[in-house]
Amino acid sequence: MSRLLPWSGEGGKPSYLVGGADGSYLSRLADNLEALQLGMAEALDSHVDALMSDQALSDVELRSVVSSLQQALRDVHRVAVSRGGRLPVVEDDELSARAAAVVDREVLR
């Protein structure tokens, strides 16, 4: 099994950790970087909330925020793909039943 790492390799190509490296130094480093990336995306979300209330936002400020949001979205997507790739594979019927149970539970809240 391989793990998509939260950084790119040479030429922007994806980097993977191959084999059972759970708990290894590289795996812990990747976990820490993913946590940092998710935290930065959360902080950026709060920052954008504050900026959006400012009616006098310049084009330069807006472009800067959009650029930061784009990078955060790329990072969060990469983390999601990496973590999703490490989830156990379940049968479609079992997955559908689990998803339906979650939807029913959330709708009934």
Side-chain angles (χ1 to χ4, degrees):
M1 182 162 120
S2 64
R3 172 186 180 171
L4 177 63
L5 294 172
W7 55 81
S8 297
E10 220 174 289
K13 294 180 182 175
S15 293
Y16 293 92
L17 179 59
V18 179
D22 288 342
S24 70
Y25 172 78
L26 193 55
S27 180
R28 288 190 317 270
L29 180 65
D31 289 341
N32 289 336
L33 183 55
E34 284 180 352
L36 179 66
Q37 288 171 326
L38 294 174
M40 288 172 60
E42 184 177 14
L44 180 60
D45 184 36
S46 296
H47 178 66
V48 169
D49 280 342
L51 281 177
M52 294 309 291
S53 65
D54 180 5
Q55 299 297 322
L57 199 60
S58 74
D59 287 350
V60 172
E61 291 170 314
L62 189 56
R63 281 191 175 88
S64 176
V65 167
V66 169
S67 176
S68 296
L69 285 169
Q70 183 181 33
Q71 184 57 51
L73 183 59
R74 285 182 183 143
D75 290 344
V76 169
H77 179 260
R78 187 180 200 104
V79 169
V81 168
S82 176
R83 292 181 181 184
R86 290 179 274 146
L87 292 174
V89 176
V90 295
E91 296 297 320
D92 285 342
D93 291 342
E94 182 183 348
L95 183 61
S96 296
R98 286 183 186 179
V102 169
V103 168
D104 288 344
R105 184 184 72 230
E106 292 301 314
V107 168
L108 294 175
R109 270 190 182 184

